[in-house]
Short mmCIF file of all heavy atoms in Angstrom, two decimals:
data_model
loop_
_atom_site.label_atom_id
_atom_site.label_comp_id
_atom_site.label_asym_id
_atom_site.label_seq_id
_atom_site.Cartn_x
_atom_site.Cartn_y
_atom_site.Cartn_z
N LYS B 44 -15.23 3.65 -7.20
CA LYS B 44 -14.94 4.90 -7.89
C LYS B 44 -13.65 5.53 -7.37
O LYS B 44 -12.82 6.00 -8.14
CB LYS B 44 -16.10 5.88 -7.74
CG LYS B 44 -17.31 5.50 -8.55
CD LYS B 44 -18.42 6.50 -8.39
CE LYS B 44 -19.63 6.05 -9.20
NZ LYS B 44 -20.76 6.96 -9.05
N LEU B 45 -13.49 5.54 -6.05
CA LEU B 45 -12.29 6.14 -5.48
C LEU B 45 -11.06 5.28 -5.74
O LEU B 45 -9.96 5.81 -5.92
CB LEU B 45 -12.46 6.36 -3.98
CG LEU B 45 -13.43 7.47 -3.59
CD1 LEU B 45 -13.45 7.66 -2.08
CD2 LEU B 45 -13.10 8.76 -4.29
N ILE B 46 -11.23 3.98 -5.76
CA ILE B 46 -10.10 3.09 -6.04
C ILE B 46 -9.61 3.32 -7.47
O ILE B 46 -8.41 3.46 -7.71
CB ILE B 46 -10.48 1.62 -5.79
CG1 ILE B 46 -10.67 1.41 -4.29
CG2 ILE B 46 -9.42 0.67 -6.35
CD1 ILE B 46 -11.38 0.13 -3.93
N LEU B 47 -10.54 3.41 -8.40
CA LEU B 47 -10.14 3.65 -9.79
C LEU B 47 -9.55 5.06 -9.95
O LEU B 47 -8.61 5.26 -10.71
CB LEU B 47 -11.33 3.45 -10.73
CG LEU B 47 -11.81 2.00 -10.83
CD1 LEU B 47 -13.05 1.90 -11.69
CD2 LEU B 47 -10.71 1.09 -11.36
N GLN B 48 -10.07 6.02 -9.19
CA GLN B 48 -9.51 7.37 -9.22
C GLN B 48 -8.08 7.35 -8.67
O GLN B 48 -7.19 7.98 -9.23
CB GLN B 48 -10.39 8.32 -8.40
CG GLN B 48 -10.01 9.76 -8.50
CD GLN B 48 -10.97 10.67 -7.76
OE1 GLN B 48 -12.10 10.30 -7.47
NE2 GLN B 48 -10.51 11.85 -7.43
N THR B 49 -7.85 6.61 -7.59
CA THR B 49 -6.52 6.49 -7.00
C THR B 49 -5.57 5.80 -7.96
O THR B 49 -4.40 6.16 -8.09
CB THR B 49 -6.59 5.73 -5.66
OG1 THR B 49 -7.50 6.41 -4.80
CG2 THR B 49 -5.24 5.63 -4.99
N LEU B 50 -6.09 4.82 -8.67
CA LEU B 50 -5.30 4.09 -9.67
C LEU B 50 -4.83 5.04 -10.78
O LEU B 50 -3.75 4.85 -11.34
CB LEU B 50 -6.14 2.95 -10.24
CG LEU B 50 -5.46 1.86 -11.01
CD1 LEU B 50 -4.46 1.12 -10.15
CD2 LEU B 50 -6.51 0.87 -11.52
N ALA B 51 -5.60 6.07 -11.06
CA ALA B 51 -5.28 7.00 -12.15
C ALA B 51 -4.35 8.14 -11.72
O ALA B 51 -3.69 8.74 -12.57
CB ALA B 51 -6.56 7.58 -12.71
N ILE B 52 -4.26 8.43 -10.42
CA ILE B 52 -3.47 9.58 -9.95
C ILE B 52 -1.98 9.31 -10.18
O ILE B 52 -1.42 8.36 -9.66
CB ILE B 52 -3.73 9.86 -8.46
CG1 ILE B 52 -5.19 10.29 -8.26
CG2 ILE B 52 -2.77 10.92 -7.92
CD1 ILE B 52 -5.61 10.38 -6.81
N GLY B 53 -1.37 10.14 -10.99
CA GLY B 53 0.07 10.01 -11.26
C GLY B 53 0.40 8.99 -12.33
O GLY B 53 1.56 8.83 -12.71
N ARG B 54 -0.59 8.31 -12.84
CA ARG B 54 -0.37 7.26 -13.84
C ARG B 54 0.11 7.88 -15.15
O ARG B 54 -0.41 8.89 -15.60
CB ARG B 54 -1.69 6.53 -14.06
CG ARG B 54 -1.58 5.22 -14.73
CD ARG B 54 -2.93 4.56 -14.74
NE ARG B 54 -2.80 3.19 -15.16
CZ ARG B 54 -3.79 2.35 -15.21
NH1 ARG B 54 -4.99 2.71 -14.86
NH2 ARG B 54 -3.58 1.12 -15.61
N GLY B 55 1.11 7.26 -15.75
CA GLY B 55 1.60 7.69 -17.05
C GLY B 55 2.67 8.76 -17.01
O GLY B 55 3.25 9.07 -18.04
N HIS B 56 2.94 9.34 -15.84
CA HIS B 56 4.00 10.35 -15.76
C HIS B 56 5.35 9.70 -16.02
O HIS B 56 5.61 8.59 -15.60
CB HIS B 56 4.00 11.03 -14.38
CG HIS B 56 2.81 11.89 -14.15
ND1 HIS B 56 2.87 13.25 -14.15
CD2 HIS B 56 1.50 11.58 -13.92
CE1 HIS B 56 1.67 13.75 -13.93
NE2 HIS B 56 0.82 12.74 -13.78
N ARG B 57 6.23 10.42 -16.67
CA ARG B 57 7.53 9.87 -17.03
C ARG B 57 8.54 9.88 -15.89
O ARG B 57 9.41 9.05 -15.82
CB ARG B 57 8.11 10.64 -18.21
CG ARG B 57 7.34 10.45 -19.48
CD ARG B 57 8.04 11.19 -20.61
NE ARG B 57 7.21 11.25 -21.79
CZ ARG B 57 7.22 10.35 -22.75
NH1 ARG B 57 8.01 9.32 -22.66
NH2 ARG B 57 6.44 10.47 -23.79
N ASP B 58 8.43 10.83 -15.00
CA ASP B 58 9.44 11.00 -13.97
C ASP B 58 9.12 10.27 -12.66
O ASP B 58 9.52 10.69 -11.59
CB ASP B 58 9.66 12.49 -13.69
CG ASP B 58 8.39 13.19 -13.24
OD1 ASP B 58 7.29 12.66 -13.48
OD2 ASP B 58 8.50 14.28 -12.64
N VAL B 59 8.39 9.18 -12.75
CA VAL B 59 8.03 8.39 -11.57
C VAL B 59 8.48 6.95 -11.75
O VAL B 59 8.73 6.51 -12.88
CB VAL B 59 6.50 8.45 -11.30
CG1 VAL B 59 6.05 9.85 -10.95
CG2 VAL B 59 5.71 7.91 -12.48
N PRO B 60 8.60 6.19 -10.67
CA PRO B 60 8.97 4.77 -10.82
C PRO B 60 7.96 4.03 -11.70
O PRO B 60 6.79 4.42 -11.81
CB PRO B 60 8.92 4.25 -9.38
CG PRO B 60 9.13 5.45 -8.52
CD PRO B 60 8.49 6.59 -9.27
N ASP B 61 8.41 2.95 -12.31
CA ASP B 61 7.59 2.17 -13.24
C ASP B 61 6.26 1.74 -12.63
O ASP B 61 5.22 1.82 -13.28
CB ASP B 61 8.38 0.95 -13.72
CG ASP B 61 7.63 0.17 -14.78
OD1 ASP B 61 7.20 0.80 -15.78
OD2 ASP B 61 7.45 -1.05 -14.60
N LEU B 62 6.29 1.29 -11.40
CA LEU B 62 5.06 0.83 -10.75
C LEU B 62 4.05 1.96 -10.60
O LEU B 62 2.85 1.76 -10.78
CB LEU B 62 5.40 0.22 -9.39
CG LEU B 62 4.39 -0.70 -8.74
CD1 LEU B 62 3.91 -1.78 -9.70
CD2 LEU B 62 5.00 -1.35 -7.52
N VAL B 63 4.52 3.14 -10.30
CA VAL B 63 3.64 4.31 -10.18
C VAL B 63 3.12 4.71 -11.56
O VAL B 63 1.95 5.06 -11.71
CB VAL B 63 4.35 5.49 -9.50
CG1 VAL B 63 3.45 6.72 -9.42
CG2 VAL B 63 4.84 5.09 -8.11
N ARG B 64 3.97 4.61 -12.57
CA ARG B 64 3.56 4.94 -13.94
C ARG B 64 2.42 4.01 -14.40
O ARG B 64 1.48 4.44 -15.05
CB ARG B 64 4.75 4.80 -14.89
CG ARG B 64 4.50 5.31 -16.28
CD ARG B 64 5.70 5.31 -17.22
NE ARG B 64 6.84 4.50 -16.86
CZ ARG B 64 7.95 4.97 -16.27
NH1 ARG B 64 8.06 6.23 -15.96
NH2 ARG B 64 8.96 4.17 -15.99
N ARG B 65 2.47 2.75 -14.00
CA ARG B 65 1.44 1.79 -14.40
C ARG B 65 0.22 1.80 -13.50
O ARG B 65 -0.90 1.59 -13.97
CB ARG B 65 2.02 0.37 -14.39
CG ARG B 65 2.99 0.07 -15.49
CD ARG B 65 3.30 -1.42 -15.61
NE ARG B 65 3.13 -2.18 -14.40
CZ ARG B 65 4.11 -2.56 -13.58
NH1 ARG B 65 5.35 -2.24 -13.85
NH2 ARG B 65 3.86 -3.28 -12.50
N ALA B 66 0.42 1.98 -12.19
CA ALA B 66 -0.68 1.81 -11.24
C ALA B 66 -0.97 3.06 -10.42
O ALA B 66 -1.67 2.97 -9.41
CB ALA B 66 -0.37 0.63 -10.32
N GLY B 67 -0.48 4.20 -10.80
CA GLY B 67 -0.82 5.45 -10.15
C GLY B 67 -0.64 5.43 -8.65
O GLY B 67 0.39 5.02 -8.13
N GLY B 68 -1.67 5.88 -7.94
CA GLY B 68 -1.63 5.95 -6.48
C GLY B 68 -1.49 4.60 -5.81
O GLY B 68 -0.84 4.49 -4.76
N ILE B 69 -2.05 3.57 -6.40
CA ILE B 69 -1.90 2.22 -5.86
C ILE B 69 -0.43 1.81 -5.98
O ILE B 69 0.15 1.22 -5.07
CB ILE B 69 -2.81 1.21 -6.59
CG1 ILE B 69 -4.29 1.65 -6.52
CG2 ILE B 69 -2.62 -0.19 -6.05
CD1 ILE B 69 -4.90 1.74 -5.15
N GLY B 70 0.18 2.15 -7.10
CA GLY B 70 1.60 1.88 -7.29
C GLY B 70 2.46 2.65 -6.30
O GLY B 70 3.50 2.16 -5.85
N THR B 71 2.03 3.86 -5.94
CA THR B 71 2.75 4.66 -4.94
C THR B 71 2.80 3.91 -3.61
O THR B 71 3.84 3.87 -2.95
CB THR B 71 2.07 6.03 -4.75
OG1 THR B 71 2.09 6.74 -5.99
CG2 THR B 71 2.76 6.86 -3.68
N LEU B 72 1.69 3.30 -3.22
CA LEU B 72 1.65 2.53 -1.97
C LEU B 72 2.60 1.33 -2.04
O LEU B 72 3.35 1.07 -1.10
CB LEU B 72 0.23 2.06 -1.69
CG LEU B 72 -0.77 3.14 -1.31
CD1 LEU B 72 -2.19 2.60 -1.38
CD2 LEU B 72 -0.46 3.67 0.08
N ILE B 73 2.56 0.61 -3.13
CA ILE B 73 3.41 -0.58 -3.27
C ILE B 73 4.88 -0.17 -3.33
O ILE B 73 5.73 -0.82 -2.71
CB ILE B 73 3.00 -1.41 -4.50
CG1 ILE B 73 1.58 -1.96 -4.29
CG2 ILE B 73 3.98 -2.56 -4.73
CD1 ILE B 73 0.99 -2.66 -5.49
N GLU B 74 5.17 0.90 -4.04
CA GLU B 74 6.55 1.40 -4.11
C GLU B 74 7.04 1.80 -2.72
O GLU B 74 8.19 1.55 -2.36
CB GLU B 74 6.60 2.60 -5.07
CG GLU B 74 7.98 3.10 -5.37
CD GLU B 74 8.80 2.18 -6.24
OE1 GLU B 74 8.24 1.37 -7.01
OE2 GLU B 74 10.04 2.25 -6.13
N MET B 75 6.18 2.40 -1.93
CA MET B 75 6.56 2.78 -0.56
C MET B 75 6.89 1.55 0.27
O MET B 75 7.86 1.53 1.02
CB MET B 75 5.42 3.59 0.09
CG MET B 75 5.70 4.02 1.50
SD MET B 75 4.64 3.01 2.52
CE MET B 75 5.31 3.28 4.12
N ILE B 76 6.10 0.49 0.12
CA ILE B 76 6.36 -0.76 0.86
C ILE B 76 7.72 -1.32 0.45
O ILE B 76 8.51 -1.76 1.29
CB ILE B 76 5.24 -1.78 0.60
CG1 ILE B 76 3.95 -1.31 1.26
CG2 ILE B 76 5.63 -3.17 1.12
CD1 ILE B 76 2.72 -2.10 0.84
N ALA B 77 7.99 -1.30 -0.84
CA ALA B 77 9.24 -1.88 -1.36
C ALA B 77 10.47 -1.10 -0.93
O ALA B 77 11.54 -1.69 -0.75
CB ALA B 77 9.18 -1.97 -2.88
N THR B 78 10.34 0.21 -0.77
CA THR B 78 11.51 1.03 -0.52
C THR B 78 11.55 1.65 0.87
O THR B 78 12.41 2.49 1.14
CB THR B 78 11.60 2.17 -1.56
OG1 THR B 78 10.43 3.00 -1.43
CG2 THR B 78 11.70 1.61 -2.97
N ALA B 79 10.66 1.26 1.75
CA ALA B 79 10.57 1.87 3.09
C ALA B 79 11.88 1.75 3.86
O ALA B 79 12.47 0.67 3.94
CB ALA B 79 9.44 1.23 3.88
N ARG B 80 12.32 2.85 4.38
CA ARG B 80 13.54 2.92 5.19
C ARG B 80 13.29 3.87 6.35
O ARG B 80 12.52 4.82 6.23
CB ARG B 80 14.72 3.46 4.37
CG ARG B 80 15.09 2.59 3.19
CD ARG B 80 15.88 1.37 3.64
NE ARG B 80 16.22 0.52 2.53
CZ ARG B 80 15.55 -0.58 2.19
NH1 ARG B 80 14.49 -0.93 2.85
NH2 ARG B 80 15.94 -1.33 1.18
N PRO B 81 14.00 3.69 7.44
CA PRO B 81 13.82 4.59 8.57
C PRO B 81 14.41 5.97 8.32
O PRO B 81 15.30 6.13 7.48
CB PRO B 81 14.53 3.89 9.73
CG PRO B 81 15.44 2.91 9.11
CD PRO B 81 14.92 2.60 7.74
N ASP B 82 13.91 6.92 9.06
CA ASP B 82 14.45 8.27 9.05
C ASP B 82 15.87 8.19 9.61
O ASP B 82 16.08 7.69 10.72
CB ASP B 82 13.57 9.15 9.93
CG ASP B 82 13.99 10.60 9.94
OD1 ASP B 82 15.19 10.89 9.75
OD2 ASP B 82 13.11 11.45 10.18
N PRO B 83 16.89 8.65 8.87
CA PRO B 83 18.28 8.54 9.33
C PRO B 83 18.52 9.17 10.70
O PRO B 83 19.29 8.64 11.50
CB PRO B 83 19.09 9.26 8.25
CG PRO B 83 18.22 9.28 7.06
CD PRO B 83 16.81 9.26 7.55
N GLU B 84 17.85 10.29 10.99
CA GLU B 84 18.03 10.93 12.29
C GLU B 84 17.50 10.06 13.42
O GLU B 84 18.15 9.91 14.46
CB GLU B 84 17.33 12.30 12.32
CG GLU B 84 18.01 13.34 11.47
CD GLU B 84 17.28 14.68 11.51
OE1 GLU B 84 16.53 14.93 12.46
OE2 GLU B 84 17.48 15.46 10.57
N VAL B 85 16.33 9.46 13.21
CA VAL B 85 15.75 8.58 14.23
C VAL B 85 16.61 7.34 14.38
O VAL B 85 16.86 6.87 15.49
CB VAL B 85 14.29 8.20 13.87
CG1 VAL B 85 13.72 7.19 14.86
CG2 VAL B 85 13.41 9.44 13.83
N LEU B 86 17.10 6.82 13.27
CA LEU B 86 17.96 5.64 13.30
C LEU B 86 19.23 5.92 14.12
O LEU B 86 19.64 5.10 14.94
CB LEU B 86 18.33 5.24 11.87
CG LEU B 86 19.04 3.91 11.66
CD1 LEU B 86 18.20 2.75 12.18
CD2 LEU B 86 19.35 3.70 10.19
N GLN B 87 19.81 7.09 13.92
CA GLN B 87 21.03 7.44 14.65
C GLN B 87 20.75 7.65 16.14
O GLN B 87 21.52 7.21 16.98
CB GLN B 87 21.64 8.71 14.05
CG GLN B 87 22.99 9.06 14.64
CD GLN B 87 23.58 10.28 13.95
OE1 GLN B 87 22.94 10.95 13.16
NE2 GLN B 87 24.83 10.55 14.25
N LYS B 88 19.64 8.29 16.47
CA LYS B 88 19.31 8.59 17.87
C LYS B 88 18.91 7.34 18.66
O LYS B 88 19.23 7.22 19.83
CB LYS B 88 18.17 9.60 17.95
CG LYS B 88 18.56 10.99 17.57
CD LYS B 88 17.35 11.90 17.64
CE LYS B 88 17.67 13.28 17.09
NZ LYS B 88 16.48 14.14 17.05
N THR B 89 18.19 6.42 18.02
CA THR B 89 17.62 5.27 18.74
C THR B 89 18.45 4.01 18.64
O THR B 89 18.20 3.06 19.36
CB THR B 89 16.21 4.96 18.23
OG1 THR B 89 16.31 4.53 16.86
CG2 THR B 89 15.29 6.15 18.35
N GLY B 90 19.37 3.96 17.71
CA GLY B 90 20.15 2.75 17.55
C GLY B 90 19.47 1.71 16.69
O GLY B 90 19.99 0.63 16.49
N GLY B 91 18.29 1.97 16.20
CA GLY B 91 17.70 1.07 15.21
C GLY B 91 16.31 0.55 15.49
O GLY B 91 15.45 0.63 14.64
N ASP B 92 16.08 -0.03 16.65
CA ASP B 92 14.80 -0.72 16.87
C ASP B 92 13.59 0.20 16.72
O ASP B 92 12.64 -0.14 16.03
CB ASP B 92 14.77 -1.41 18.24
CG ASP B 92 15.60 -2.68 18.25
OD1 ASP B 92 15.75 -3.29 17.17
OD2 ASP B 92 16.08 -3.07 19.32
N ALA B 93 13.62 1.37 17.35
CA ALA B 93 12.48 2.28 17.26
C ALA B 93 12.27 2.75 15.82
O ALA B 93 11.13 2.87 15.35
CB ALA B 93 12.68 3.47 18.19
N ALA B 94 13.35 3.01 15.12
CA ALA B 94 13.26 3.46 13.73
C ALA B 94 12.65 2.38 12.84
O ALA B 94 11.80 2.67 11.99
CB ALA B 94 14.63 3.87 13.21
N TRP B 95 13.09 1.15 13.02
CA TRP B 95 12.53 0.05 12.20
C TRP B 95 11.11 -0.27 12.61
O TRP B 95 10.30 -0.70 11.77
CB TRP B 95 13.43 -1.18 12.26
CG TRP B 95 14.65 -1.00 11.40
CD1 TRP B 95 15.93 -0.76 11.82
CD2 TRP B 95 14.69 -1.00 9.97
NE1 TRP B 95 16.76 -0.62 10.74
CE2 TRP B 95 16.04 -0.76 9.59
CE3 TRP B 95 13.74 -1.16 8.98
CZ2 TRP B 95 16.44 -0.69 8.26
CZ3 TRP B 95 14.14 -1.10 7.65
CH2 TRP B 95 15.47 -0.87 7.30
N ASP B 96 10.76 -0.04 13.88
CA ASP B 96 9.36 -0.22 14.30
C ASP B 96 8.46 0.78 13.57
O ASP B 96 7.35 0.44 13.15
CB ASP B 96 9.21 -0.05 15.81
CG ASP B 96 9.78 -1.22 16.59
OD1 ASP B 96 10.00 -2.30 16.00
OD2 ASP B 96 10.01 -1.04 17.81
N GLU B 97 8.94 2.02 13.42
CA GLU B 97 8.18 3.03 12.68
C GLU B 97 7.96 2.59 11.23
O GLU B 97 6.88 2.76 10.68
CB GLU B 97 8.92 4.37 12.68
CG GLU B 97 8.85 5.14 13.97
CD GLU B 97 9.58 6.48 13.89
OE1 GLU B 97 10.30 6.73 12.89
OE2 GLU B 97 9.41 7.27 14.82
N VAL B 98 8.98 2.01 10.63
CA VAL B 98 8.87 1.53 9.25
C VAL B 98 7.84 0.40 9.17
O VAL B 98 7.01 0.37 8.27
CB VAL B 98 10.24 1.06 8.71
CG1 VAL B 98 10.09 0.35 7.38
CG2 VAL B 98 11.18 2.25 8.57
N ALA B 99 7.90 -0.52 10.13
CA ALA B 99 6.94 -1.64 10.14
C ALA B 99 5.51 -1.13 10.25
O ALA B 99 4.61 -1.64 9.57
CB ALA B 99 7.27 -2.60 11.28
N LEU B 100 5.28 -0.14 11.10
CA LEU B 100 3.93 0.42 11.25
C LEU B 100 3.50 1.18 10.00
O LEU B 100 2.32 1.12 9.61
CB LEU B 100 3.87 1.33 12.49
CG LEU B 100 4.00 0.60 13.82
CD1 LEU B 100 4.16 1.60 14.97
CD2 LEU B 100 2.81 -0.33 14.08
N ALA B 101 4.42 1.87 9.35
CA ALA B 101 4.10 2.60 8.12
C ALA B 101 3.75 1.63 6.99
O ALA B 101 2.78 1.84 6.25
CB ALA B 101 5.26 3.49 7.70
N THR B 102 4.51 0.54 6.86
CA THR B 102 4.21 -0.43 5.80
C THR B 102 2.90 -1.16 6.10
O THR B 102 2.15 -1.48 5.18
CB THR B 102 5.35 -1.43 5.58
OG1 THR B 102 5.68 -2.07 6.79
CG2 THR B 102 6.58 -0.74 5.00
N GLU B 103 2.61 -1.41 7.38
CA GLU B 103 1.32 -2.01 7.73
C GLU B 103 0.18 -1.11 7.28
O GLU B 103 -0.82 -1.57 6.73
CB GLU B 103 1.22 -2.26 9.23
CG GLU B 103 -0.13 -2.80 9.65
CD GLU B 103 -0.33 -2.86 11.16
OE1 GLU B 103 0.67 -2.94 11.91
OE2 GLU B 103 -1.48 -2.81 11.60
#
Side-chain angles (χ1 to χ4, degrees):
K44 288 181 181 178
L45 290 184
I46 291 165
L47 292 176
Q48 187 176 340
T49 304
L50 195 61
I52 295 171
R54 197 174 191 177
H56 291 253
R57 293 183 191 269
D58 59 340
V59 295
D61 185 52
L62 199 50
V63 178
R64 189 175 17 260
R65 288 192 334 260
I69 303 298
T71 299
L72 291 166
I73 295 173
E74 187 71 25
M75 179 252 167
I76 291 168
T78 62
R80 298 283 179 262
D82 183 332
E84 290 179 21
V85 175
L86 189 59
Q87 187 177 9
K88 288 178 187 175
T89 65
D92 284 333
W95 284 106
D96 287 344
E97 285 181 350
V98 170
L100 291 171
T102 55
E103 176 189 335

